Amino acid sequence: QVQLVESGGGLVQPGGSLRLACAASGSTFTFGHHAMGWFRQPPGKEREFVAIINWRGDNIDYADSVKGRFTISRDNAKNTVYLQMNDLNPVDTAVYYCAASLYAIVTFEVSDFDSWGQGTQVTVSS
């Protein structure tokens, strides 16, 4: 079993930046064997894909809405995945979740992610 704990959320003004982190732990979980993803759920909406990174960090993809503004990265030595968010705007307001994939490679099915964090709130407002 794996535990995923997100941090770094908060209130930020439009145009600002935040860096989210997700720390993974678990005696039977090998972080470097899994692709990791970030998802978000805006108020009143469905959960949506944000970004994904493969096991060694050389295959990455983003939702069109965040391309050029968000950067996903990982540090396998620290069992942590990050999401750097720049040029934030109010439509980015959501609860952000990290998730561990069943697979090492990039896939896009939500069902491929079997472990989820509790989420961290990001609010973009002036």
Side-chain angles (χ1 to χ4, degrees):
Q1 195 74 353
V2 57
Q3 283 191 315
L4 302 174
V5 179
E6 301 97 337
S7 61
L11 174 64
V12 63
Q13 292 187 341
S17 299
L18 282 175
R19 189 192 195 204
L20 306 183
C22 172
S25 62
S27 60
T28 61
F29 180 75
T30 303
F31 182 78
H33 290 181
H34 297 266
M36 298 295 295
W38 285 97
F39 295 77
R40 66 186 182 186
Q41 187 164 15
K45 296 185 178 180
E46 298 289 318
R47 190 174 299 188
E48 61 187 29
F49 164 77
V50 175
I52 185 171
I53 185 167
N54 74 332
W55 66 282
R56 62 183 181 187
D58 61 354
N59 189 7
I60 290 172
D61 206 352
Y62 299 95
D64 288 343
S65 59
V66 307
K67 280 181 181 176
R69 300 187 299 122
F70 290 13
T71 302
I72 188 172
S73 62
R74 67 188 296 158
D75 185 337
N76 286 349
K78 295 182 178 179
N79 288 358
T80 302
V81 61
Y82 303 96
L83 187 68
Q84 176 67 43
M85 305 186 294
N86 298 329
D87 192 23
L88 286 161
N89 58 69
V91 297
D92 296 314
T93 294
V95 178
Y96 283 72
Y97 299 89
C98 73
S101 174
L102 290 165
Y103 309 108
I105 60 173
V106 166
T107 63
F108 297 98
E109 295 292 332
V110 175
S111 58
D112 291 340
F113 294 84
D114 68 337
S115 298
W116 294 81
Q118 82 289 349
T120 186
Q121 177 70 47
V122 171
T123 302
V124 185
S125 176
S126 55

